[in-house]
């Protein structure tokens, strides 16, 4: 029975991959289109990449996005990891879980309005710092979810053994627990970074005026209203290649950590 259904399952898997990746491949190919037409191939050229790197607003937005993503990922990973460890050492509480995972469930538009209202209540000036804080609030829940999943799938007896051997709580956390949950921490950080780079609605509502607080998704939205240009295709290609490289190195890091 299983052998009879294998070709059908392989066909279904192939169609699924084609549906997911053919549009991405088409976009990457068109980024090298000489004429710059969005749908017609006229020849190979890297002209649009040179124009992309010479475009001031796009590069400024890319730098802002990297700053927001890196800082928010660092903060969300540290806070989320510590929060996950603290929650897992307590008794399970459905109410506490609901509070922790609320930012994942609440629609982005609702969370964006709530954060904007909170900043207005504090008379806080908006800018990159407000976007970073907003992304930290948004990403902590994802880091907690991933790290808690990892904590439930390793032998907790090693923590007791460390304590029996006289190690302090900090030493047990740093030398025993953290290496054991490191793959989950890395996965949570990668997820947080990806969500921060891609996030638009919260950044749009909590950003300040001017290019100094404009992120890449906001810049793309401003450009895409006038049509898809080759620069946007080139930018998307670079982001995709960077994402694939990031996933590749993360997998290598996970294997090295597990082998140790």
């Amino acid at each position: 029975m299983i052998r009879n259904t294998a070709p059908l399952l392989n066909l279904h898997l192939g169609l699924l991959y084609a549906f997911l990746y053919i549009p991405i491949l088409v976009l990457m190919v068109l980024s090298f289109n000489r004429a710059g037409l969005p749908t017609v191939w006229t020849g190979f050229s890297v002209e649009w990449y040179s124009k992309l790197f010479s475009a001031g607003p796009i590069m400024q937005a890319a730098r802002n996005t990297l700053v927001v993503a890196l800082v928010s990922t660092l903060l969300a990973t540290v806070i989320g990891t510590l929060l996950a460890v603290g929650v897992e050492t307590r008794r399970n509480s459905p109410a506490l879980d609901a509070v922790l995972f609320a930012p994942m469930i609440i629609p982005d538009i609702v969370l964006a309005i709530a954060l904007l209202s909170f900043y207005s209540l504090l008379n806080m000036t908006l800018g990159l710092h407000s976007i970073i804080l907003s992304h930290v609030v948004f990403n902590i829940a994802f880091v907690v979810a991933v790290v808690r999943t990892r904590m439930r799938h390793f032998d907790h007896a090693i923590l007791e053994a460390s304590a029996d051997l006289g190690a302090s709580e900090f030493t047990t956390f740093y030398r025993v627990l953290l290496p054991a949950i490191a793959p989950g921490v890395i996965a949570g950080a990668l997820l947080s970074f990806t969500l921060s780079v891609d996030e638009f609605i919260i950044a749009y509502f909590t950003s300040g005026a001017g290019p100094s607080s404009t992120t890449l998704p906001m810049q793309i939205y401003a450009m895409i209203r006038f049509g898809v240009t080759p620069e946007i295709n080139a930018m998307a290609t670079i982001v995709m290649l960077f994402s694939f490289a990031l996933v590749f190195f993360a997998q290598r890091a996970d294997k090295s950590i597990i082998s140790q």
Side-chain angles (χ1 to χ4, degrees):
M1 178 64 107
I2 296 178
R3 292 181 179 178
N4 293 334
T5 59
L8 183 61
L9 292 176
N10 291 334
L11 176 62
H12 177 269
L13 183 61
L15 292 175
L16 179 61
Y17 279 128
F19 178 78
L20 290 175
Y21 289 104
I22 286 180
I24 296 176
L25 292 176
V26 171
L27 180 145
M28 296 176 68
V29 170
L30 289 177
S31 69
F32 297 98
N33 192 7
R34 182 186 302 276
L37 299 176
T39 56
V40 180
W41 176 262
T42 58
F44 180 85
S45 174
V46 295
E47 173 187 0
W48 307 112
Y49 286 89
S50 61
K51 289 186 176 181
L52 174 65
F53 288 111
S54 62
I58 295 178
M59 298 309 298
Q60 177 66 36
R63 286 191 292 268
N64 292 340
T65 297
L66 284 178
V67 170
V68 170
L70 290 174
V71 177
S72 63
T73 296
L74 177 62
L75 295 176
T77 302
V78 173
I79 298 173
T81 300
L82 296 177
L83 184 58
V85 172
V87 170
E88 280 298 307
T89 56
R90 297 170 56 91
R91 295 178 57 185
N92 291 333
S93 172
L96 181 60
D97 290 342
V99 173
L100 286 176
F101 299 139
M104 299 171 59
I105 303 172
I106 297 175
D108 288 354
I109 185 68
V110 176
L111 184 59
I113 295 174
L115 289 170
L116 178 60
S117 300
F118 180 70
Y119 295 151
S120 299
L121 183 64
L122 297 178
N123 292 324
M124 179 177 171
T125 303
L126 301 181
L128 280 185
H129 59 283
S130 58
I131 301 177
I132 291 173
L133 292 177
S134 302
H135 282 196
V136 170
V137 173
F138 177 71
N139 289 328
I140 283 177
F142 293 93
V143 176
V144 170
V146 175
V147 174
R148 288 184 66 183
T149 301
R150 176 62 182 174
M151 288 190 64
R152 294 175 181 176
H153 293 84
F154 80 95
D155 188 6
H156 287 258
I158 60 176
L159 302 180
E160 299 176 1
S162 176
D164 291 340
L165 293 174
S168 63
E169 292 184 358
F170 176 79
T171 302
T172 300
F173 172 79
Y174 180 72
R175 300 293 298 273
V176 180
L177 179 59
L178 189 58
I181 64 174
V185 175
I186 294 174
L190 285 173
L191 180 61
S192 177
F193 183 85
T194 304
L195 291 173
S196 183
V197 169
D198 181 65
E199 207 286 317
F200 168 74
I201 296 178
I202 295 177
Y204 184 81
F205 274 78
T206 59
S207 65
S212 61
S213 60
T214 299
T215 62
L216 196 56
M218 295 168 59
Q219 182 66 30
I220 293 175
Y221 172 73
M223 296 172 60
I224 204 79
R225 289 183 298 174
F226 303 100
V228 179
T229 62
E231 290 89 346
I232 295 178
N233 292 337
M235 184 193 313
T237 300
I238 293 174
V239 172
M240 286 298 304
L241 293 177
F242 177 77
S243 300
F244 284 136
L246 190 65
V247 171
F248 173 77
F249 287 117
Q251 290 178 341
R252 299 280 295 182
D254 287 349
K255 291 180 180 179
S256 63
I257 291 173
I258 293 174
S259 62
Q260 293 175 359

